[in-house]
Structure formats: structure tokens, C-alpha cells
Amino acid sequence: MFETAATTLDWLGVIVFTVTGALVASRKEMDIVGFAVLGTVTGIGGGTLRDLLLGSPVFWTREPAYLLTCLAVSAAVFFAAHIPQSRYRYLLWLDALGLALFAVAGSERAWQAGVGATVAVAMGVITATVGGIIRDLLGGESPVILSREIYASAALAGAITFVALTAAGGPRELAVGAGFLVGLLVRAASLRFGWALPRYRPRPGRPV
Amino acid sequence: MFETAATTLDWLGVIVFTVTGALVASRKEMDIVGFAVLGTVTGIGGGTLRDLLLGSPVFWTREPAYLLTCLAVSAAVFFAAHIPQSRYRYLLWLDALGLALFAVAGSERAWQAGVGATVAVAMGVITATVGGIIRDLLGGESPVILSREIYASAALAGAITFVALTAAGGPRELAVGAGFLVGLLVRAASLRFGWALPRYRPRPGRPV
Amino acid sequence: MFETAATTLDWLGVIVFTVTGALVASRKEMDIVGFAVLGTVTGIGGGTLRDLLLGSPVFWTREPAYLLTCLAVSAAVFFAAHIPQSRYRYLLWLDALGLALFAVAGSERAWQAGVGATVAVAMGVITATVGGIIRDLLGGESPVILSREIYASAALAGAITFVALTAAGGPRELAVGAGFLVGLLVRAASLRFGWALPRYRPRPGRPV
């Protein structure tokens, strides 16, 4: 049951992030191969870095269904991206959903690989944010991770929730569900209400 | 014979991409160490990511001749880059040649490592395009992969040709030669005649 | 004793580069999580790529103290960055210190892993420069590695000094100390006196 839950999160995250990558391709008016490249890189980027850092086999090299799914989803966006009224709003909300899914899925994979709690949380944040970073760098978008709202912090909150509950011996379905909800709600509240952490403020009149 | 053919492609691809990286360094008027860094990173970048993703030892860590060749080629470009009339045209055509070489060499290495056809094609595309992506990001050039012409698609065509012929049991020399030619001709035709795939077009009057 | 020396260099380098990453976060007026992300990525980025390329376990995945130190240092910078008069000058000098530390630490780790002299030098340069490259790309700063002064060359000088003395069978404390001093002095002299290597100059009146 749990293996199913974690794998389901992973699959949903890949699909959702692939859509955000393909939406960036649509904003840049790329051709269908551009959609496929940007969609796929966004969908599998975070999990790929996680697996490399853990020394695990990279997940999609053993399971071609991931790549084929990314290609199919990207192609679907190519033909359907004109339907939503505002693609950038969709992109932000899907990105929030993917962030929450991958924060838990990334921490869980790392925890299964036997690392400690700190490293597991870091892997959750890396899995959740790296796909979007690559998408924004390659697509020439302003990186969402540097936006004024709460972003990496939401992934951090979700990953900490999952790892804390798991380390405390809580039921894994609970840890997965709670981590996902915490990550999603923090990011959604930030998007909806403009929540932000206090920023560093330089002293006036000093050179930077 | 075949091992020779694949290794030859790999070596030629490294040399050709190193030249393109050093040409970008010349456009940015860097010093000779800048030439060496940008040339080497471009020459070995794609194969490095391929080996990391496959879990294979990174090819140049066992064989210092690759690094030494990249350094020598970069230094040669430092002293000879003033000779061609238009460095950017050379850069584009050499990049096309490297793309076709690496699309086949990358797929072939992946196929030898035992992955399936889909993943082998993806590794061909990654090997062929990642060096140029790093070169353009570090050199501050507009990324060739996002250009209006056919680029990643040419690598894709070459890799698919190689993998399809290999999977069909065709002679390997034929698969290598045909994959290389298909990749090169598609990219060359695109450069020469401005070939492009249809692009995504937003509906007029809608927000992006 | 030597293991202590090499590990000490590594720790110092991580701390110093974390400070430079957090200083970039302060220049961008990020929140505390932004400080933590940019500081940590800068502190561990170079060593992470080195370990991946060598096929070694990534150093911080086995030792959570590295991540926790990066977080503590980033938080300290968040609350103290207003103290220095010119943060950018601090950033450049700390970056020089980190560069010299990591050029030696990176070469030494690679040498211990059994690679040849050429590859060990390359690993020193990679370890010393990649953290700063990621910092500048993510932080939107002009990349220090592309600056007009000597930068990668200083790492190269330090790494060559260390590897040459080690390969010649010199005492390791000497090799470590000499490599560090050479790297630091070359970079410091370049910062202080504007030292630079001759740059590529295009012929006038020719297209680029």
C-alpha cells in the first residue's frame, strides 16, 4: 500500500511538472520538440538529481514509461495550451502541486535509501525545486524559486513534516498525506494571500 | 571495427565541440584559461552527463588524453581564431557536426550499457545537446537549442535512426553511418534552408 | 595528521563559500530560506560535482554536519550582513580564500581516489569554481569566473602545485600548504593589482 502511495506521488509529480515545463514552452512559442524537451526536463529533473546525489540508479533509466509519459503529456499541452484563459496562473498552481508532491516523494526515496533525517529533508527540497529551476533557466523565465513569495520554504515545511512523522514512527500513510498537505497549503496560502517571510534589509546609505 | 567506429565518433565529437566552445570564448575575448575552460566543458559536457545518468564511470576520468586534447585544441583556437572570416558561421556548422556525431555516439554507449530503446534515444539527444547548452549559458550566448531552426529534432532523428537500425539487427556500421548522416543532413538542411517545425501559436487577444 | 589537514581545508572551504552565497542572497534582499538555499548550494556545490564525477559517495550525504553547518552559517549572515561596510569586497576576498582551499582539497580527494595527475588537477579546478558558478547563475550576479582578472587560473596554479609536489613524493603537509598559498597569492595579487592574462583580440574590421 505504501509503496503504491509513494510511487503514485512520484508519477503525479512528474506529470504535473511536465505540464508546467510545456506551458513555459508555449509561452516561448516553441515547436513540439521544444515542448518535449522542456516538459521532460522539468518533469524528471528534480528526481534525477536526487538519485545521482544518493548514488541510486536514476529512476527513469530503468523504466521507459516515465519518458514516454513526459512526451505524451508535452504533446497534449502543445495541442491544448490555448484552452485555459491564463496559462501563467495554471503554471503557478500546477507548480505548487508538483512542489508538494515531490517534497514528500523525494524525502521518502531518500529515507528509504537509508540517509539521516537532515539529508532526507534536503533531498525533498532538491527534488521539489530543481525541475522548476532548470525549466526557468532554460526557458528564460524569472526563476520562481527567487520570487518574493514563499516557495522553497513550502517544500521545506512539507519535507520536515513527512520526515518528522516518519522518524517518530507514525503510520506512513499519515506522514505522506500530512507532508503533502502542509507543503501544498503553505505554498497555496502564499500564492493566494501573498504570504512572505521577512526579507533581508540593508542599512540605508551603505554600499552593497 | 565497430568499437573503433564508436570511439572515433566520440573523439571527433569532443574535438569539434571543444572548437565551438573556444570560438565562443573568442567572441567574448577571454584569456587562454577561459578558452580552455569553455572549450573543455563544451567538449566533454554531454558525455559526462550521459555517463552520470547511466551510472557508468565518467569517460574522461579514466583517460586523461581527453582532457589534454581539449586543452590543446582550445589553445590552438586561441592562436588561430582570427583566420576564418566569420567565426559564428563556423561555430554553427561545427556545432551541427558535433551534434550528429554525439547523437550516435551517445545512443550507442547507452545501448551498450543495456538500457532500452527509448532511454538510448534520450541519451543520444542529451549527449548531443548538453555541451552546447552549458557553452551558451556560461558564455552568455543565446542558446542554440532554443533557436527557431531544427536543433534537438536533428539529434532526435539521428538517434532514432541509429537505435531503430540497431534494434532491428542491422549491421552496426550501417546503423552508425546512417544515424550520423540523418542527424547531420537534417540539421544542415535546417541551417541552409531555414527549415523549422510549426511553432505553438497562442490565440490572439488571450493572456499568456 | 594529513587526513586532518585535508578535512580541515574542506570544512573551511565549505564555510567560506557558504558565506559568499549568503552575501549574494543579502545583495538580492532574499528571505532567510533564500539565504539558506544559496549559501548551502555555494558551499557544497563544487565538492558535490567532484564526488559525482569521481563516482565517490557525495560527501554531505553521509555527514549531516555539513548541511547543518551551512544552515547555521547562512542564518548568521542573515543577521550580521549589515556589519561590513562593503559586502561585495568581502565576497570577493572570501571567494578567493575558498578558491585556494578547494583547489587543494579537490585535487587531494581526487588523488586519493586514484586518478592520474591531469584528472586530479581538473578536479581541483572544478571543486574550486563550480560553487561560485552556481551562486552567480542563481543569484543573477555577473559570473566571477568570467571576470577580467585571473580566477580559474589561480585555482589551476594551486592545484598544479599540490599535484606536482605530491607526485614528486614531497611531504603532504608541504604540498597542501604550498598549493593553498600559491592559489591564494595568485588570486589575491590579481584582485589587488588587477593582474590579468592577455586576452584574445579579434582583428579589426572582421565580423565576429
Side-chain angles (χ1 to χ4, degrees), chain A residues 26-33 35 37 48 52 58 60-61 64 67-68 78 81-88 138, chain B residues 49 52-53 115 118-119 122-123 126 133 137 145-146 148-149 152-153 156 197-203 206-208:
Chain A
S26 84
R27 285 161 58 83
K28 302 293 162 186
E29 302 183 12
M30 294 182 179
D31 61 30
I32 196 166
V33 176
F35 274 65
V37 168
T48 300
L52 289 176
V58 175
W60 53 269
T61 61
L67 286 181
L68 296 170
F78 184 77
H82 61 281
I83 297 173
Q85 274 291 338
S86 168
R87 274 173 281 144
Y88 194 63
L138 285 184
Chain B
L49 182 55
L52 289 176
L53 294 173
V115 303
T118 310
V119 174
M123 291 294 172
I126 288 169
I133 290 174
L137 277 180
I145 197 172
L146 297 182
R148 297 259 142 193
E149 300 112 27
S153 322
L156 188 67
L197 292 177
R199 300 195 153 256
Y200 177 80
R201 288 275 170 257
R203 298 261 170 115
R206 304 282 287 277
V208 295

Side-chain angles (χ1 to χ4, degrees), chain B residues 26-33 35 37 48 52 58 60-61 64 67-68 78 81-85 87-88 138, chain C residues 52-53 115 118-119 122-123 126 133 137 145-146 148-149 152-153 156 197-203 206-208:
Chain B
S26 85
R27 285 161 58 84
K28 302 293 162 186
E29 302 183 13
M30 294 183 181
D31 60 30
I32 195 166
V33 176
F35 275 65
V37 168
T48 300
L52 289 176
V58 175
W60 53 269
T61 61
L67 285 181
L68 296 170
F78 184 76
H82 60 280
I83 297 173
Q85 274 291 338
R87 275 174 282 143
Y88 195 63
L138 285 184
Chain C
L52 289 176
L53 294 173
V115 302
T118 310
V119 173
M123 290 295 172
I126 287 169
I133 290 174
L137 278 180
I145 197 172
L146 298 181
R148 296 260 144 193
E149 300 113 27
S153 323
L156 188 66
L197 292 177
R199 300 196 152 257
Y200 178 80
R201 289 274 170 259
R203 300 260 170 114
R206 304 281 288 278
V208 295

